[in-house]
Amino acid sequence: MSRTKYNDLIFICDSSLQSSFFRDYLEKSLCLSIQNTTIDCLHQLNISSKESVLFIIDYSQIDEKSLALYVNFIVENNFDAYEVMINSPKSISAGMVSRWPNIIGLFFAGDGLDVVAKGMKKVIEGELWLSRQLTQKIIELYRNKKSISIQPNARLTAREKEILQLLVMGASNNEIAESLFVSENTVKTHLYNVFKKINVKNRMQAFMWAKNNYCNDLPL
């Protein structure tokens, strides 16, 4: 298996025996250590780095309040965080998925452990794990969403285009910094400026904008 892209893996779940079994199975399958916690105990986590943190989230533990708590935690601590959802209903809407800042994987309730392990290995190696149907719905959502409007005249600098291209390729802030020989803080500043110019709020929205706006000469 390729080198992991993530410094920490966090499993947000309940304290049931089933959740413990699932975490143990993933740890053995991925050969990686996974911390488990609840939404209410996020602030007690021992996270080694704010860069490239992967949260595996049990959909059954999420409601409006817990989603808000999670997002606030990520923003307040300035984490470069990504999310994988498990136990999601097959009826989940693209709108609900898009509310997560940087969701890169989703598994439905009923998916076997072997399927989850296979998909998680792909995620760890830097790939997305979203069903084709859901991905298409997300694309359609962003195309029709006025808050993510097409802006062909967005004046991105050459460096901003470079960073956006690397983001589209799935690079983390740390990997972008290493590729361009700049600091991670510089990358964050550039991303902030890019998001502001193209009127998006997170990486997934920036990804869709880049795919829809080839007029900026990005090599996509």
Side-chain angles (χ1 to χ4, degrees):
M1 185 169 62
S2 301
R3 179 181 66 86
T4 175
K5 287 171 59 70
Y6 304 101
N7 296 316
D8 292 274
L9 276 69
I10 313 295
F11 183 26
I12 299 178
C13 58
D14 58 17
S15 56
S16 69
L17 187 61
Q18 183 178 9
S19 294
S20 296
F21 174 79
F22 177 79
R23 185 195 66 177
D24 291 344
Y25 178 86
L26 275 188
E27 284 187 324
K28 292 177 181 178
S29 299
L30 303 175
C31 298
L32 293 169
S33 177
I34 302 174
Q35 295 186 62
N36 68 292
T37 186
T38 64
I39 286 288
D40 293 333
C41 295
L42 284 173
H43 291 281
Q44 299 176 19
L45 285 171
N46 180 22
I47 299 179
S48 62
S49 172
K50 291 187 176 183
E51 294 297 325
S52 301
V53 182
L54 180 63
F55 288 90
I56 305 166
I57 303 166
D58 187 340
Y59 183 88
S60 67
Q61 301 301 303
I62 299 301
D63 55 21
E64 291 292 332
K65 179 181 178 181
S66 56
L67 173 58
L69 286 173
Y70 170 80
V71 173
N72 288 339
F73 173 75
I74 297 302
V75 172
E76 288 173 2
N77 290 279
N78 196 29
F79 282 119
D80 180 26
Y82 302 83
E83 301 96 25
V84 169
M85 193 76 66
I86 66 167
N87 286 330
S88 168
K90 290 189 176 181
S91 60
I92 190 170
S93 68
M96 175 58 72
V97 174
S98 69
R99 295 178 65 183
W100 292 89
N102 290 298
I103 191 164
I104 55 174
L106 187 143
F107 299 91
F108 296 115
D111 283 344
L113 289 176
D114 56 335
V115 172
V116 177
K118 177 182 177 182
M120 284 300 303
K121 287 178 181 178
K122 293 296 184 182
V123 168
I124 293 298
E125 292 169 0
E127 298 183 27
L128 296 176
W129 188 270
L130 298 168
S131 71
R132 183 175 299 179
Q133 182 180 21
L134 183 58
T135 301
Q136 183 60 40
K137 288 181 179 179
I138 293 172
I139 292 172
E140 292 174 356
L141 174 70
Y142 286 144
R143 282 176 174 169
N144 296 327
K145 209 169 185 179
K146 292 181 179 179
S147 62
I148 312 173
S149 56
I150 302 298
Q151 299 184 48
N153 295 320
R155 295 181 178 178
L156 300 181
T157 66
R159 178 46 58 90
E160 288 169 349
K161 288 181 181 182
E162 284 182 307
I163 289 177
L164 185 55
Q165 171 63 22
L166 289 169
L167 180 150
V168 168
M169 294 170 63
S172 67
N173 286 356
N174 182 53
E175 290 169 330
I176 294 174
E178 290 180 352
S179 176
L180 299 179
F181 303 102
V182 297
S183 70
E184 293 177 21
N185 285 335
T186 297
V187 171
K188 290 178 181 179
T189 298
H190 281 305
L191 283 176
Y192 173 82
N193 292 333
V194 169
F195 288 4
K196 186 175 180 180
K197 286 182 179 181
I198 66 178
N199 191 29
V200 302
K201 296 181 179 179
N202 57 46
R203 286 170 178 259
M204 182 177 284
Q205 292 179 359
F207 176 91
M208 294 313 309
W209 183 93
K211 288 295 187 182
N212 288 326
N213 289 270
Y214 53 86
C215 52
N216 280 311
D217 297 324
L218 287 167
L220 301 173

